[in-house]
Amino acid sequence: MPNQGAVTAITAKRLTLALCAAGVVGGAVGALAVNHNNVAAETAAAAAAAPAPAASVAPAPSVAPAPAATVTLPDFTRIAATNGKAVVNIRVVGGIKTGNRADVPSLPRNHPLYEFFRQFQDPRFGGGGGREAPVFGAGSGFIVSPDGVILTNAHVVKGADEVTVKLQDRREFRAKVLGSDARTDVAVLKIDAKNLPVAPLGKSRNLAPGEWVLAIGSPYGLESTVTAGVVSATGRNLSDGQVPFIQTDVAINPGNSGGPLFNTRGEVVGINSQIYSQTGGYQGLAFSIPIDVAVKIKDQIIATGKVQHAKLGVSVQEIGQDFADSFGLESPDGALIASVERGSPAERAGLKSGDIVRRINGQPIVSSLDLSSNIALSKPGEKVALDVWRDGKLVRIDATLGDANEKGRRAPQEELASNSDNSARLGLALRPLEPIERRQSGIASGLVIEDASGAAAIAGVEPGDVLISVNGRPVNTVGQVRDVVAKASKSVALLIQRGSDKIFIPVRIG
């Protein structure tokens, strides 16, 4: 948490700026009034000295200054008073095994103190292993149906033996965990109650950076705490691409987890989940799960008691300007497929390394997260239509998604002929794979990078990497590399095998 001095200094600075602005405006108005008085006096003197006009002329009407524009702030009090009734406090009790106490000696049964220690349930004297020690936790949640269905974070109730929900009217209920999903960090609870206040749900996909938002929760156990801020960004990828997080500057602290994020219409648009902090407290970077994601998880849990996630069976990378230049794209949008699992839905559909997914079911793919989250939030068996950029043109590929719990393996590369030479324009010294290297590494084709300098070294290519393709074209001879590079104008995309990983590296050659 920031120290009080820092907060005070910032506040004082803002007040000073506000007062300075007011002073400037007042000074300008005063000067304008003095000028009007001078003009009036000079006009009167001139009129007295001049001959009377033949006809009187009406004075020009004075022009009133334009009114200042007014800015209306959202009514947070209405949201807090009305929809805040659906926000709940969650207390959790769990148990963990405790180890043997190191400060107690091991004693034989005939020792005079054996019975004393046994009465204190030390596991070495009563048998049966370690004891359960209670662990307490707390968080927030919100009611989404009048019969007691509650949304919160999965990490709030993880490992819980008892979950207690406290309502705004101070009533408390024992809650049942209907289900939770660690991938999206969403959990669904149920309490035995009726006619409860409900938090209305909005659409998180309609959020825009700069929009006002409001959080209600129980930071550090302080129930019904209201904090506000703006949406800083949407579609943030924090971990494995399962959730496109909403980033805000709303003050979120431990205990806020699972609480609602409201828009100015009083609709829930997110579940407060994580913060970025070097101190453990609020530092201006808070992240919320989009309510669109949470509702999909909730519906699956209520219907089946579990959550299924789909998979396509590819690893993807971001498209930068270098990649866009390499693949002939007008803009750096899309998800670049780095590798395809053997036997996966992607392989069955015909997807290949070097393909760039530009749309899924007609929706644009701007970043790799758009593809990953869209697939992860689909169900196994669903069909998707992919618009893929391949060899300089768009092709349509239909795929039937698999189950994310199924494991796949990478497809081997096709066997190609090999030669020896180097590619000076890239700064690479290349040689073909030896038969023993192919057997040991499992790489069927490609060129070993013996040395990297110049543009390749700057891009991050390392000696020992294996070059598999250039701009999506498989290569096994330096001649093939040279042919592709000769046709490139600004940069090329190298598919590199490094250890067990395949990655695309853009190399500028212009």
Side-chain angles (χ1 to χ4, degrees):
M1 296 289 291
N3 58 55
Q4 187 63 36
V7 173
T8 303
I10 293 172
T11 305
K13 184 177 181 181
R14 289 177 178 171
L15 288 173
T16 302
L17 290 174
L19 291 172
C20 287
V24 171
V25 172
V29 172
L32 183 60
V34 172
N35 289 341
H36 275 303
N37 291 336
N38 292 340
V39 170
E42 293 172 1
T43 303
S56 62
V57 179
S62 60
V63 179
T70 59
V71 177
T72 303
L73 295 176
D75 187 1
F76 291 140
T77 61
R78 178 187 58 82
I79 298 173
T82 303
N83 299 336
K85 296 177 181 178
V87 182
V88 301
N89 173 257
I90 297 174
R91 298 197 308 274
V92 173
V93 179
I96 61 170
K97 292 280 187 180
T98 59
N100 294 341
R101 286 162 44 190
D103 58 338
V104 178
S106 296
L107 302 176
R109 284 182 176 271
N110 59 358
H111 194 282
L113 294 179
Y114 177 87
E115 186 63 24
F116 171 80
F117 284 115
R118 189 187 67 79
Q119 291 179 2
F120 283 91
Q121 299 178 352
D122 190 283
R124 287 167 294 178
F125 301 96
R131 294 173 295 161
E132 291 279 339
V135 176
F136 302 92
S140 305
F142 55 99
I143 306 168
V144 294
S145 72
D147 60 349
V149 177
I150 295 170
L151 278 178
T152 187
N153 283 145
H155 75 259
V156 169
V157 296
K158 181 180 180 181
D161 294 329
E162 295 181 8
V163 179
T164 302
V165 169
K166 184 178 181 181
L167 307 183
Q168 290 273 336
D169 61 13
R170 305 183 66 80
R171 288 186 294 164
E172 295 187 4
F173 297 86
R174 182 71 60 85
K176 177 182 179 181
V177 180
L178 296 183
S180 64
D181 179 48
R183 289 176 180 264
T184 56
D185 197 20
V186 174
V188 181
L189 313 182
K190 179 71 169 63
I191 61 175
D192 187 12
K194 296 180 179 179
N195 301 319
L196 296 175
V198 174
L201 305 182
K203 299 292 185 182
S204 52
R205 62 175 174 268
N206 296 332
L207 280 176
E211 183 174 342
W212 284 99
V213 282
L214 177 78
I216 304 179
S218 303
Y220 299 108
L222 301 173
E223 300 173 13
S224 305
T225 295
V226 179
T227 53
V230 298
V231 175
S232 303
T234 58
R236 288 295 196 207
N237 183 7
L238 300 185
S239 52
D240 56 1
Q242 302 288 334
V243 177
F245 282 93
I246 303 164
Q247 179 187 333
T248 73
D249 68 348
V250 179
I252 299 297
N253 283 290
N256 273 114
S257 289
L261 183 74
F262 292 99
N263 61 18
T264 55
R265 293 181 294 278
E267 302 166 334
V268 179
V269 291
I271 302 178
N272 300 315
S273 176
Q274 301 181 36
I275 60 173
Y276 173 82
S277 176
Q278 295 177 320
T279 65
Y282 169 72
Q283 286 189 244
L285 294 169
F287 301 94
S288 303
I289 301 163
I291 196 63
D292 297 350
V293 172
V295 167
K296 288 185 177 182
I297 302 302
K298 171 185 72 72
D299 292 345
Q300 283 196 58
I301 289 175
I302 292 177
T304 65
K306 61 180 181 179
V307 179
Q308 286 184 304
H309 294 279
K311 81 166 184 177
L312 184 59
V314 298
S315 62
V316 293
Q317 291 182 232
E318 289 292 331
I319 296 287
Q321 188 59 53
D322 289 340
F323 280 144
D325 295 338
S326 302
F327 289 103
L329 296 172
E330 294 182 356
S331 60
D333 298 333
L336 173 62
I337 296 178
S339 64
V340 178
E341 290 181 1
R342 185 175 184 178
S344 67
E347 186 188 49
R348 292 193 293 268
L351 288 170
K352 303 176 182 179
S353 295
D355 286 344
I356 299 175
V357 181
R358 303 278 283 179
R359 289 179 176 271
I360 179 170
N361 294 333
Q363 299 179 4
I365 300 296
V366 177
S367 71
S368 62
L369 175 63
D370 295 334
L371 179 63
S372 300
S373 61
N374 198 302
I375 296 297
L377 296 174
S378 301
K379 295 179 181 180
E382 287 186 17
K383 294 183 178 181
V384 293
L386 306 174
D387 292 334
V388 174
W389 184 261
R390 177 187 292 173
D391 296 332
K393 60 180 182 295
L394 278 176
V395 296
R396 173 75 173 270
I397 294 179
D398 296 319
T400 301
L401 301 178
D403 193 328
N405 293 324
E406 296 176 355
K407 301 297 181 183
R409 52 196 179 94
R410 292 173 182 171
Q413 299 293 316
E414 296 180 359
E415 187 73 28
L416 296 173
S418 63
N419 278 320
S420 176
D421 202 338
N422 77 18
S423 181
R425 191 178 181 194
L426 291 177
L428 296 177
L430 306 169
R431 68 167 174 82
L433 281 164
E434 299 291 343
I436 188 173
E437 291 174 325
R438 295 181 185 179
R439 290 194 300 269
Q440 291 177 346
S441 66
I443 304 173
S445 62
L447 296 166
V448 177
I449 298 174
E450 291 194 309
D451 189 30
S453 61
I458 293 172
V461 180
E462 300 174 359
D465 290 343
V466 178
L467 177 61
I468 296 174
S469 72
V470 182
N471 286 354
R473 306 283 180 86
V475 293
N476 206 30
T477 70
V478 174
Q480 293 168 338
V481 175
R482 186 183 298 111
D483 290 343
V484 178
V485 173
K487 297 176 182 178
S489 59
K490 296 181 180 179
S491 63
V492 292
L494 307 182
L495 178 58
I496 297 295
Q497 178 97 17
R498 180 175 294 168
S500 60
D501 297 325
K502 288 181 182 177
I503 57 174
F504 273 98
I505 297 180
V507 179
R508 296 200 68 85
I509 58 176

